[in-house]
Amino acid sequence: MTPRPIIHIIDGSGYVFRAYYAIRPLSTRAGLPTNAVFGFARMLSRLIKDEQPTSLAIAFDTAKKNFRHEIYTEYKANRDAPPEDLVPQFALIRELVAAMDIPVIEKIGYEADDLLATLTDQAVASGHQVMLVSGDKDLMQLVAPHVTMFDPLKNKYYNREDVIERFGVPPELVADLLALAGDPSDNIPGVPKIGSKTAAKLICAYGDIETIYKNLNESSKKLSAAEVSVIDNIESARLSKRLATLDHKAPVQLNIDAWQYQNPASAKLLPFLQRIEASGLIRDLGLEDSNNQIVLPTNTPYAPTVDQDSLSSEYNQTIDYSSYRTIFNLNELEQLMQKAKAHKYLSFDLETTSINAHRADIVGIALAVDSLAPVYIPIAHRYLGVPKQIELSQALAFLKPILCDPQILKVGQNIKYDINVLTRAGIKLQGIGDDSMIAAYVLSSTRVSYSLDALASEKLGHQNIRYTDITGKGKSQIGFEEVAIETATTYAAEDADVALRLCHILRSEIEEQQLNKLYRELELPLVSVLANMEHNGILVDANRLATLGSELNERITLLESHAYTLIGGKINLASPKQLQELLFNKLGLATARKTKTGYSTDQETLEALASEHEIPRIILEHRTLAKLKSTYVDLLTRMINPETGRVHTSFNQTGTATGRLSSSDPNLQNIPIRTDDGRRIRAAFIADPKHVLISADYSQIELRVMAHLSKDTNFINAYKNGEDIHHRTAFEIITGGGPVNAEARRRAKAINFGILYGLSEFGLAKQLGIPRGEAAAYIKLYFSRYPGIRDYFDTTIQTARISGYVSTIAGRRRYLPELHSQNRNIRQGAERIAMNTPIQGSAADLIKMAMLRLYDEINKNAPDIRLLLQVHDELVVEAPEAKCDLAVELVKEAMSLVMPLAVPLTVDVGVGYDWASAH
């Protein structure tokens, strides 16, 4: 039997909103919002690429009311107006669809769903299959033997069985389920006391709503509350079904000839994409200009603007898997090494047994150099019939001279990981030339991802083989050592090949954007410093953690027991649903803000309720202790490396938009230090025997940077004179020249840091618990005392609107297209970021510079002193007791003299045998 041809029909209206919320706010340099257009275009291009449709159309709602509003005036009445910055994008999306030559279907008085229902019937009747492209549950009514639904965002296809699995009822009864359960998104009332699960049970037991009503109305058995509700509210159910049922008789006609899809002409699509500055889409779609050149992005300062034809052909060509080679013997490896010595750049990538560099064993090594075929050297693959491989010691013996040669520049992706693995294998990597991940971060600190896959897709238009493609997922996943060598060669050599190409491209972009100093003198050298810190780790006293864990357990149990006594029974104190029932229904406390799942039980809500009842206070304390135990005590215990007895955290250079480092596995940035329990956790981090820990912390670094950048005379003089800036602010702003007590200083501190972070008068009022007018007066008086700060903020925002970005002391940029957003909230948020980023980012620059300086001084003067941690504005160093004074001097000088500022950099230093006592 000849297969039915497939027609693809897209639910356009549904995807406008999904695209808008899926993509972070974007806009052109002129301030035109474009995130929904970008998301919509990517959805279309991905669908076309994956599905390769032969017939394609798209349906849209109209702005007019339809027949459902006549039936029920409250239909969709609960919906808010579209976001302000989405409104201008509706027309742009229509332009996009027209430029892509996709037919549009719409009809006044009908929703897109009704048009889809009618056209689906016509298509099936004419001998076609239909693929409905949507995530709308209402359209699942249409799923049938020749009708499938596809949700691109979830990458999921729905047939009859999938609909039953989702709803518990078949497609033809979905409208009945919605009639009983209601649909809040469309304001369909449904039947009180009936949710989707109860509705599905009734439908499965009886049938559609009329059959359910007939059976229940005639039943002699005792009915449940839900069943009684059906009888009492049958008219609401009937109305709801009319609203939920799609109209299959809409006045539209299938036109297969007009729906034949062909690739859009670049002459129509390219000008539109250029107008909305969609450089990434231009590249992804492979559009060419009149000279048959790929159009490269030019709208954003960090986009590549180099002529691709001028770049080396080795990384401008299509990736050719057939050229990749596997090396099984030392002769071939030796020949490759001799050839590699003639090249400036060597790309390498280690395949290992673990993502934890401190527990990983090398399985294989991939190498790539310009003009030579990328290779893979299998070392430790294990499976039946595995070919003979080169031993690790032999391979490293050949590789070591090159890996340790600073003249041959090593490049790769996330080289810090490879440095740590090689260090454990006895090789100290030297000569880092480029790291594609770090280079991409320097170019733009707000990317969604810095992964090799994401960068390859963006910069090379290439889709990498995914790790799970060759190892599988879940319980059936195998280790890389079990992957067949032929497959492993393609995967690993591709990584080295792609990284090499990316490094060449990103290097050119960095030079063009004049970011070389930031990249070459700060971020790239820091890779080796962080790798060394991660390798050092920090010693953890497991016994202290065990003792603290037991005590926390006891306190948690006592809190639970006390809560159960007050409640009069047991509940799960960690369950938001059970807490909602307890707090707002049983105890009748004042309800808080509404969420999708009921009333909020977050920390802010509980703190507000704690004055009304003891239970919210107990819940807050219970949460705090449970988090301390699970997030820190239990996790840290598991993270102790059995080989070293130390915890080896990972420092992330690409984790924040401001340039600050973050840490993970475990995260040491958020251990509380203002509570006794938090300090006890820090006390579990200890020095080696006969060693001490030294904690050095910048004092008010961000306020000092603000003084330097703003050049405000009063602020600068306060620091130069050694004044307590919070006391001075309290004296001038809070007390009006009167005595300053602790509360006044606390308020002044909130004002100082609030101004720094762009806190509004509303936010300050809320934080201090004062009237909004009083907060506004504080802010006004603050800027009158420190006018240079106000001028600095205003100038920074104005400059950023013109250039598109703000900069730090080291030249780090943060791009802020949202400054031109038509959405007031988004625009003001961007202004706050513009005010704060140069300050917070410069503080991050300074401590990174200090780390580089300290690392060099340690290596020159005392290699047995070790830099261990960087946490916010603090460095932690471990030193032999005999060299404690030297270590204190080195760290203090490195931090305080790192760069001359308009104000002195003050460093507070403490020494102890554990982290808590040193802080």
Side-chain angles (χ1 to χ4, degrees):
M1 181 181 292
T2 304
R4 289 172 170 245
I6 301 176
I7 298 174
H8 288 76
I9 314 178
I10 300 170
D11 171 21
S13 296
Y15 265 90
V16 171
F17 286 90
R18 296 183 80 177
Y20 173 79
Y21 289 109
I23 304 292
R24 68 179 178 84
L26 295 173
S27 63
T28 64
R29 285 171 291 186
L32 180 68
T34 56
N35 60 318
V37 187
F38 271 64
F40 199 91
R42 289 198 182 281
M43 183 274 288
L44 285 178
S45 63
R46 190 182 305 117
L47 176 76
I48 291 166
K49 178 181 178 181
D50 294 345
E51 292 291 323
Q52 298 184 351
T54 56
S55 299
L56 178 65
I58 187 164
F60 283 111
D61 292 330
T62 64
K64 304 293 184 180
K65 292 186 176 182
N66 57 68
F67 70 91
R68 291 181 178 83
H69 294 92
E70 297 175 7
I71 298 171
Y72 182 54
T73 56
E74 295 301 306
Y75 179 66
K76 293 189 176 180
N78 60 331
R79 293 195 175 184
D80 296 329
E84 185 180 340
D85 59 335
L86 175 58
V87 173
Q89 298 188 68
F90 289 127
L92 290 174
I93 288 172
R94 296 299 186 105
E95 284 190 62
L96 168 71
V97 173
M100 294 184 73
D101 287 327
I102 300 175
V104 170
I105 309 147
E106 57 186 340
K107 214 62 158 174
I108 293 176
Y110 292 85
E111 295 185 43
D113 291 359
D114 301 314
L115 307 182
L116 290 169
T118 303
L119 292 168
T120 295
D121 289 351
Q122 295 175 7
V124 171
S126 66
H128 291 81
Q129 293 186 69
V130 176
M131 175 80 73
L132 297 169
V133 183
S134 176
D136 188 348
K137 62 182 179 300
D138 296 338
L139 289 174
M140 292 188 181
Q141 301 174 46
L142 303 178
V143 172
H146 299 297
V147 182
T148 306
M149 186 166 157
F150 173 54
D151 185 347
L153 287 189
K154 295 182 179 178
N155 194 31
K156 182 171 177 59
Y157 295 86
Y158 291 90
N159 56 27
R160 181 181 178 84
E161 289 70 28
D162 296 313
V163 174
I164 294 173
E165 180 182 351
R166 173 169 176 176
F167 291 110
V169 301
E172 62 270 19
L173 291 171
V174 166
D176 292 271
L177 181 137
L178 296 174
L180 292 172
D183 185 356
S185 65
D186 289 340
N187 207 32
I188 295 176
V191 175
K193 299 182 181 179
I194 291 186
S196 57
K197 290 184 179 179
T198 302
K201 288 179 182 179
L202 289 170
I203 291 170
C204 290
Y206 301 109
D208 62 17
I209 59 170
E210 294 301 334
T211 307
I212 293 170
Y213 174 71
K214 182 175 183 298
N215 278 275
L216 294 179
N217 201 35
E218 297 174 354
S219 176
S220 58
K221 68 169 187 166
K222 184 178 180 180
L223 302 181
S224 68
E227 291 171 331
V228 171
S229 187
V230 173
I231 296 173
D232 292 344
N233 297 278
I234 186 60
E235 291 308 318
S236 178
R238 287 168 176 159
L239 169 65
S240 297
K241 184 171 179 178
R242 291 176 66 195
L243 295 172
T245 301
L246 302 183
D247 185 349
H248 290 250
K249 302 295 182 181
V252 288
Q253 188 61 46
L254 182 70
N255 188 344
I256 295 298
D257 293 337
W259 290 11
Q260 297 300 308
Y261 179 74
Q262 296 180 344
N263 288 328
S266 60
K268 293 177 65 175
L269 184 55
L270 182 57
F272 171 76
L273 295 179
Q274 288 175 326
R275 179 158 58 87
I276 66 168
E277 301 176 2
S279 307
L281 288 173
I282 292 171
R283 183 176 53 250
D284 290 348
L285 294 171
L287 299 178
E288 298 179 337
D289 63 16
S290 57
N291 297 318
N292 292 322
Q293 298 296 311
I294 297 294
V295 179
L296 294 172
T298 56
N299 61 300
T300 50
Y302 56 83
T305 55
V306 292
D307 179 3
Q308 295 291 296
D309 286 339
S310 69
L311 299 176
S312 171
S313 61
E314 276 73 28
Y315 51 90
N316 197 31
Q317 292 176 350
T318 301
I319 288 174
D320 180 11
Y321 292 139
S322 65
S323 68
Y324 295 169
R325 294 193 303 116
T326 313
I327 291 183
F328 288 106
N329 62 71
L330 294 173
N331 288 335
E332 284 186 90
L333 180 57
E334 185 176 15
Q335 292 173 16
L336 176 67
M337 291 301 96
Q338 291 302 320
K339 293 178 181 178
K341 289 178 182 178
H343 292 77
K344 184 178 181 180
Y345 296 102
L346 169 70
S347 174
F348 78 103
D349 180 65
L350 301 180
E351 300 301 338
T352 65
T353 57
S354 173
I355 60 173
N356 185 332
H358 312 287
R359 303 190 186 191
D361 295 322
I362 297 174
V363 176
I365 305 168
L367 304 170
V369 295
D370 291 336
S371 77
L372 297 180
V375 303
Y376 177 62
I377 309 161
I379 301 292
H381 283 263
R382 297 186 295 102
Y383 56 88
L384 189 63
V386 62
K388 182 175 175 57
Q389 302 163 77
I390 299 174
E391 292 183 6
L392 177 61
S393 59
Q394 294 176 318
L396 293 181
F398 276 90
L399 291 171
K400 187 172 183 178
I402 286 184
L403 294 176
C404 297
D405 186 345
Q407 302 305 313
I408 299 175
L409 300 179
K410 270 64 67 176
V411 304
Q413 166 82 5
N414 189 18
I415 287 180
K416 177 161 63 66
Y417 172 87
D418 301 282
I419 293 174
N420 274 314
V421 175
L422 289 173
T423 299
R424 291 179 63 238
I427 293 180
K428 184 176 181 180
L429 185 74
Q430 295 185 65
I432 299 176
D434 286 292
D435 186 319
S436 51
M437 182 178 77
I438 305 302
Y441 178 67
V442 167
L443 287 163
S444 172
S445 63
T446 55
R447 292 179 190 271
V448 175
S449 173
Y450 297 90
S451 70
L452 191 69
D453 290 356
L455 295 176
S457 175
E458 178 185 341
K459 299 295 181 182
L460 303 175
H462 173 72
Q463 182 63 55
N464 278 1
I465 301 168
R466 295 171 299 182
Y467 184 78
T468 53
D469 291 339
I470 63 171
T471 62
K473 299 178 181 178
K475 294 181 180 179
S476 61
Q477 187 173 43
I478 61 175
F480 198 84
E481 67 275 13
E482 300 175 75
V483 174
I485 287 177
E486 295 81 1
T487 303
T489 295
T490 305
Y491 171 82
E494 178 189 52
D495 280 357
D497 185 6
V498 166
L500 180 64
R501 296 169 187 240
L502 286 172
C503 286
H504 285 318
I505 291 171
L506 295 170
R507 187 185 312 119
S508 297
E509 293 182 36
I510 283 174
E511 289 172 357
E512 179 163 322
Q513 296 304 320
Q514 299 179 343
L515 294 169
N516 230 27
K517 185 177 178 68
L518 173 66
Y519 177 55
R520 296 284 170 199
E521 297 182 19
L522 184 58
E523 293 294 347
L524 203 58
L526 193 67
V527 171
S528 297
V529 178
L530 295 177
N532 180 259
M533 292 166 63
E534 292 177 1
H535 176 73
N536 290 337
I538 185 168
L539 191 62
V540 175
D541 189 331
N543 292 328
R544 292 191 191 186
L545 287 178
T547 300
L548 179 56
S550 297
E551 291 181 16
L552 290 175
N553 253 339
E554 291 178 9
R555 290 160 62 187
I556 290 169
T557 301
L558 286 173
L559 283 172
E560 290 172 344
S561 177
H562 185 37
Y564 300 155
T565 300
L566 293 173
I567 295 167
K570 286 189 175 182
I571 69 165
N572 181 358
L573 296 182
S575 166
K577 188 173 182 180
Q578 293 185 38
L579 289 179
Q580 288 169 16
E581 174 65 26
L582 169 68
L583 297 173
F584 308 122
N585 293 338
K586 185 175 179 179
L587 298 180
L589 301 181
T591 52
R593 61 183 176 84
K594 196 79 178 288
T595 69
K596 290 181 179 179
T597 57
Y599 288 103
S600 174
T601 58
D602 62 9
Q603 180 168 337
E604 184 179 354
T605 300
L606 293 177
E607 287 174 348
L609 296 174
S611 60
E612 297 184 39
H613 199 282
E614 189 177 0
I615 283 292
R617 181 190 60 76
I618 293 174
I619 295 167
L620 282 169
E621 189 175 354
H622 182 274
R623 281 185 185 175
T624 300
L625 296 183
K627 182 178 180 180
L628 281 175
K629 186 175 183 303
S630 62
T631 306
Y632 299 111
V633 177
D634 294 345
L635 179 62
L636 284 171
T637 302
R638 292 196 300 271
M639 295 297 294
I640 297 174
N641 189 308
E643 294 179 10
T644 64
R646 302 170 83 89
V647 165
H648 302 267
T649 188
S650 293
F651 291 102
N652 308 313
Q653 274 179 272
T654 62
T656 68
T658 59
R660 281 191 173 274
L661 296 172
S662 63
S663 76
S664 58
D665 302 320
N667 179 2
L668 301 182
Q669 301 276 0
N670 295 328
I671 297 176
I673 59 173
R674 292 184 176 86
T675 66
D676 289 338
D677 291 320
R679 284 188 285 271
R680 290 183 66 190
I681 292 173
R682 284 201 168 201
F685 293 84
I686 60 175
D688 270 338
K690 298 184 179 179
H691 285 65
V692 293
L693 293 181
I694 298 162
S695 169
D697 199 350
Y698 276 125
S699 172
Q700 300 174 354
I701 181 65
E702 291 181 349
L703 291 175
R704 293 172 188 271
V705 170
M706 183 167 74
H708 173 78
L709 293 176
S710 69
K711 300 180 175 63
D712 183 89
T713 304
N714 293 331
F715 220 69
I716 289 173
N717 288 338
Y719 275 119
K720 282 187 173 180
N721 296 332
E723 295 181 48
D724 175 352
I725 195 67
H726 301 318
H727 186 281
R728 173 173 178 143
T729 299
F731 182 78
E732 294 191 332
I733 309 297
I734 308 296
T735 68
V740 174
N741 57 22
E743 174 59 22
R745 188 182 184 279
R746 183 189 72 83
R747 289 191 175 194
K749 184 175 180 180
I751 293 172
N752 277 327
F753 284 105
I755 295 293
L756 186 150
Y757 284 94
L759 194 65
S760 66
E761 59 189 45
F762 175 80
L764 183 62
K766 185 177 180 181
Q767 184 172 328
L768 294 179
I770 60 177
R772 187 170 176 176
E774 186 177 348
Y778 282 160
I779 293 174
K780 183 178 180 180
L781 186 55
Y782 187 94
F783 285 129
S784 71
R785 291 289 188 270
Y786 305 118
I789 295 176
R790 175 76 275 171
D791 292 343
Y792 167 71
F793 285 151
D794 290 342
T795 302
T796 298
I797 293 171
Q798 290 169 9
T799 304
R801 283 204 176 98
I802 297 170
S803 67
Y805 61 85
V806 290
S807 298
T808 68
I809 285 176
R812 187 186 315 281
R813 297 176 184 174
R814 183 169 181 178
Y815 296 94
L816 293 168
E818 297 86 357
L819 285 171
H820 298 283
S821 174
Q822 295 178 0
N823 184 307
R824 181 168 173 266
N825 290 334
I826 292 174
R827 186 174 63 253
Q828 288 181 341
E831 289 172 357
R832 287 192 292 271
I833 292 172
M835 291 160 61
N836 171 251
T837 293
I839 298 168
Q840 193 176 11
S842 294
D845 293 342
L846 288 172
I847 199 161
K848 285 180 175 179
M849 294 174 188
M851 292 167 70
L852 290 176
R853 179 169 177 162
L854 176 60
Y855 184 70
D856 288 341
E857 291 301 315
I858 286 173
N859 286 335
K860 291 176 187 176
N861 297 288
D864 50 353
I865 296 174
R866 296 188 286 187
L867 178 57
L868 304 185
L869 301 176
Q870 189 274 328
V871 179
H872 302 305
D873 304 321
E874 175 188 10
L875 296 181
V876 179
V877 172
E878 185 175 45
E881 291 175 334
K883 294 187 178 179
C884 176
D885 292 343
L886 173 61
V888 168
E889 180 184 348
L890 291 177
V891 70
K892 202 165 185 177
E893 284 187 359
M895 294 177 71
S896 62
L897 302 179
V898 64
M899 177 183 283
L901 298 183
V903 297
L905 286 174
T906 302
V907 181
D908 299 322
V909 180
V911 178
Y913 291 103
D914 61 61
W915 191 7
S917 61
H919 194 269

